[in-house]
Amino acid sequence: MQTNTPSRSTIRLTRRGRLALAALGAVVAGTAVAVPLLIMNDDDSRPTTLVVPEGWRASQVYAAVDKVLDLPAGTTEKSLAKADLKLPDEAGGNPEGYLFPATYPLQEKATPQKLLSRMVDTAGKKFNGAPIAAGAQRNAMNVYQAVTVASIVQAEAATKADMGKVARVIFNRLERGMPLQMGSTVDYALNRGTPRTTAADTEVDSPYNSYRRMGLPPTPIDNPGEDAVRAAINPTPGDWLYFVTVKPGDTRFTADYAEHQRNVAEFDAEQKKAGEPSKK
C-alpha cells in the first residue's frame, strides 16, 4: 500500500542527480566496469594489494579478483559454492554487502576463496560488534537489514554529510508505509551502472524494484563502507521524505512534495544546461 505517495509515473523520488555521480568515478557502485585498484611492488611484476572501494557491487569485486589473480573472467564468482563464507543466515549464501571495502594484501598463494573469505570475515568483525548490533536494534532492525539500509545510503548519498539524511528518508518512508522509490535499487535490478531511472524502469518485475515492492530489498545492493553503516544506525533527525541533488554540492531534502517538485524542476533545468537528457 502506498500512503501519500504521488504517482511514480509523473515524478522522480528520492534520487540524487546524475551530475553528482560524475565526480565519484569508479569508486561508486554505479561503475559499469570494475577496475581493481592495485599497489605494485618495486619491480612492477605483480600487484601486492587489492583495494576494494566503498560502494562496489559484488560483481565488481569478483571481476577485480579475477583480474588481479590473472584468472579467466567468471572464476571468482564460480568459486562461491566452495568458498564456505561465514555469512549471516539471512544472506542465503549471497555475499553482497559483506565484501567489506578495504585494502587487502595479496599473499603468495592467494585464491578467490581466500580473498572473499577475508573480506567477509572483515565485514563480520565490523558489523557484529556491539555498536552496530545495538544501533540496528535501536532502529527495530537486525544487522543484515542495517547493512541493506547502508548499501542504499552508500549508493544514494552524494556526500558523506548527506548519508545520515538519506538514511532518515529511508526510515521515514518505511515508518509511513511508503515505498522507498530509490532509483539505486532499480539500477541494481537492471544490473545497470549508470543511474538514469525512467518511468518504464520502475515497472520492472524484480524484488529489488522499490517502486513496486514495499520495504527493503531482499539483500544489500552494494558493499557499504563504515560511514554508510554508521549513518544507517544513527540517521540524522528530520522529517524528510524526498531528496534530489540539484547540482554537485546542492542536495535538497524536504518533507513537502510540492517543494520537492520545485527542486526536481531545478534539477531538470541544470541537466538541460549541461546537455543531459531529463530522466522524466
Side-chain angles (χ1 to χ4, degrees):
M1 182 181 70
Q2 295 187 8
T3 305
N4 298 326
T5 306
S7 169
R8 61 178 175 267
S9 65
T10 60
I11 63 171
R12 173 180 59 259
L13 292 177
T14 59
R15 190 72 179 106
R16 66 175 184 262
R18 194 179 341 189
L19 290 176
L21 289 172
L24 297 182
V27 175
V28 298
T31 306
V33 179
V35 179
L37 305 181
L38 310 174
I39 297 175
M40 310 297 289
N41 59 15
D42 290 340
D43 62 9
D44 211 32
S45 61
R46 65 180 295 272
T48 59
T49 302
L50 170 64
V51 179
V52 177
E54 297 174 350
W56 263 13
R57 296 175 183 170
S59 59
Q60 293 174 284
V61 177
Y62 302 152
V65 173
D66 286 342
K67 185 175 180 67
V68 75
L69 297 183
D70 197 22
L71 298 171
T75 300
T76 298
E77 186 169 7
K78 291 175 183 176
S79 75
L80 285 173
K82 53 186 177 181
D84 192 26
L85 303 177
K86 294 179 175 60
L87 293 164
D89 292 340
E90 298 92 333
N94 181 354
E96 191 75 85
Y98 280 73
L99 301 175
F100 194 78
T103 300
Y104 295 96
L106 298 176
Q107 298 173 348
E108 187 174 348
K109 295 184 179 180
T111 65
Q113 297 97 308
K114 290 179 180 178
L115 276 174
L116 295 178
S117 291
R118 199 175 309 154
M119 295 175 196
V120 171
D121 290 348
T122 302
K125 291 175 183 176
K126 298 285 186 180
F127 298 158
N128 293 328
I132 303 299
Q137 186 175 27
R138 187 168 60 248
N139 289 286
M141 300 183 295
N142 60 35
V143 170
Y144 191 72
Q145 290 170 322
V147 175
T148 301
V149 171
S151 73
I152 300 173
V153 169
Q154 186 75 63
E156 291 281 346
T159 66
K160 177 181 174 181
D162 288 339
M163 286 182 170
K165 291 183 176 181
V166 172
R168 177 54 66 190
V169 170
I170 293 171
F171 285 116
N172 286 346
R173 283 181 159 258
L174 291 173
E175 289 168 1
R176 286 163 177 75
M178 298 170 68
L180 294 183
Q181 294 182 305
M182 297 283 175
S184 56
T185 67
V186 175
D187 293 333
Y188 190 81
L190 296 172
N191 193 28
R192 186 172 62 195
T194 304
R196 56 181 185 276
T197 307
T198 66
D201 292 336
T202 64
E203 298 298 327
V204 63
D205 184 14
S206 168
Y208 292 92
N209 183 355
S210 62
Y211 283 77
R212 294 186 63 181
R213 305 295 181 98
M214 299 298 293
L216 294 173
T219 72
I221 61 170
D222 58 48
N223 294 281
E226 291 186 84
D227 289 331
V229 175
R230 279 195 289 268
I233 62 170
N234 293 297
T236 305
D239 62 353
W240 311 292
L241 294 172
Y242 315 99
F243 67 90
V244 62
T245 296
V246 175
K247 55 187 176 181
D250 183 11
T251 300
R252 301 178 190 177
F253 294 80
T254 181
D256 181 75
Y257 174 59
E259 181 181 354
H260 178 65
Q261 283 294 80
R262 292 192 292 271
N263 292 337
V264 169
E266 287 193 48
F267 165 79
D268 286 337
E270 289 290 335
Q271 295 289 82
K272 189 174 292 187
K273 283 197 299 185
E276 294 285 343
S278 170
K279 292 195 287 181
K280 281 191 177 181

